[in-house]
Structures are given as C-alpha cells and as structure tokens.
Amino acid sequence: MELHYSPQNREVQITLTNIGAGHALPTGTPLRMVLLKVVGRDENGQVVWENWKNNPLKEDKSAVFMKILANAEGNGPVPPWQATQILMDRKLLPEKPVTVSYHLPAEKIRQVEAKLLYRFAPAPILEKFGITDPHFTLPKLMVQQSLNLPQ
C-alpha cells in the first residue's frame, strides 16, 4: 500500500498492489471481501472524515474488492446457492496496482490513515444466517499505513 497526497487539490491517493499472493484477492467463495478503510484525523487524533462508516457496499463501492452475486430479482449480495447473476467482480489482481483517490473535504485533517481489511462475508449475510462469532464478524487487518499532511 502506498499513500500520496496532493496539497493543491487536497486529494489523497492510495495505491494497492497484490504482491506475493499469486492469485486474485480475495479468493475462495464469492462472499469474501477486502475493504479499504480511509480516515482523516485532526491534530488531536480525532476522526473528522472517513470514506465509509457502516456499509462500504452502499457508501463507497470503490473501497470494496469482491465478487457480488445476486438472485434472479437482482438483489445482492446473496450466497452462491441463491445466485443467478454477478453484480460486481472487482478483485486485486496479482502485480496489477489499483489506485483509489479521495478529496479530503475537511481543512483540519492532519493525518490520513488507510487500512486494508479482510472479511469472510458481508455483514448482512452473516446477520441473515445468525452468525455472531467475532472470528467471522470482525474484519481482519491486512495492512495499514498513515501519512502526516503538511499544514
């Protein structure tokens, strides 16, 4: 993961490169997801901006890497046994950088932190099946990087 900041347009760019896996990420069942979480903090370390809060599938699809399956009515994500179509197929391919950019709206942002997170499945799917074990419900940190911004 590489973070770059352009003070002229207050834009942060996060470049993700899948190095060493030898296959697309995530892999396995289409329910697996890799998420990019980006937060902006003020001089006191308080979060003043974030790319998504609760549901990245609704709030920032550019931060989601997964295959999303849908049922015949076009509703998704659904488990593979209910799927009849693919709504999205966006993965981190081996050695192929992907850059995601964000305009930072808050002037008081002094630090940007980016985390790449892994989830076994989207929260609505886990809830639907009554899965509450934190091993499956809490995201796993893959990589994290911070960047201090000039004042």
Side-chain angles (χ1 to χ4, degrees), residues 33-60:
M33 24 181 0
V34 173
L35 305 170
L36 176 62
K37 177 68 175 175
V38 184
V39 299
R41 299 180 188 279
D42 65 15
E43 64 276 355
N44 298 317
Q46 298 298 310
V47 173
V48 294
W49 174 86
E50 52 194 322
N51 64 328
W52 56 270
K53 292 181 188 211
N54 300 310
N55 187 343
L57 286 170
K58 291 182 179 177
E59 298 170 55
D60 183 10

Side-chain angles (χ1 to χ4, degrees), residues 13-151:
Q13 295 181 334
I14 301 104
T15 301
L16 307 169
T17 307
N18 173 0
I19 298 172
H23 56 76
L25 286 176
T27 191
T29 175
L31 296 176
R32 306 287 191 252
M33 24 181 0
V34 173
L35 305 170
L36 176 62
K37 177 68 175 175
V38 184
V39 299
R41 299 180 188 279
D42 65 15
E43 64 276 355
N44 298 317
Q46 298 298 310
V47 173
V48 294
W49 174 86
E50 52 194 322
N51 64 328
W52 56 270
K53 292 181 188 211
N54 300 310
N55 187 343
L57 286 170
K58 291 182 179 177
E59 298 170 55
D60 183 10
K61 270 196 175 168
S62 69
V64 178
F65 300 90
M66 70 180 297
K67 182 184 280 189
I68 299 178
L69 302 178
N71 60 21
E73 292 78 38
N75 299 317
V78 297
W81 58 88
Q82 294 178 354
T84 60
Q85 58 185 303
I86 297 171
L87 287 182
M88 181 175 96
D89 191 359
R90 183 170 187 241
K91 297 182 180 183
L92 295 169
L93 301 176
E95 309 294 333
K96 303 279 186 196
V98 173
T99 300
V100 182
S101 300
Y102 295 100
H103 173 75
L104 301 178
E107 294 276 333
K108 54 188 173 182
I109 293 176
R110 294 294 170 251
Q111 183 187 59
V112 174
E113 178 183 73
K115 295 180 181 180
L116 203 58
L117 305 168
Y118 174 83
R119 289 191 64 125
F120 285 102
I125 296 277
L126 296 173
E127 290 168 11
K128 180 178 180 179
F129 290 104
I131 298 171
T132 59
D133 183 334
H135 175 73
F136 296 105
T137 60
L138 296 177
K140 314 285 187 253
L141 179 64
M142 297 175 68
V143 65
Q144 173 179 333
Q145 189 173 356
S146 296
L147 179 66
N148 292 323
L149 305 185
Q151 294 191 20

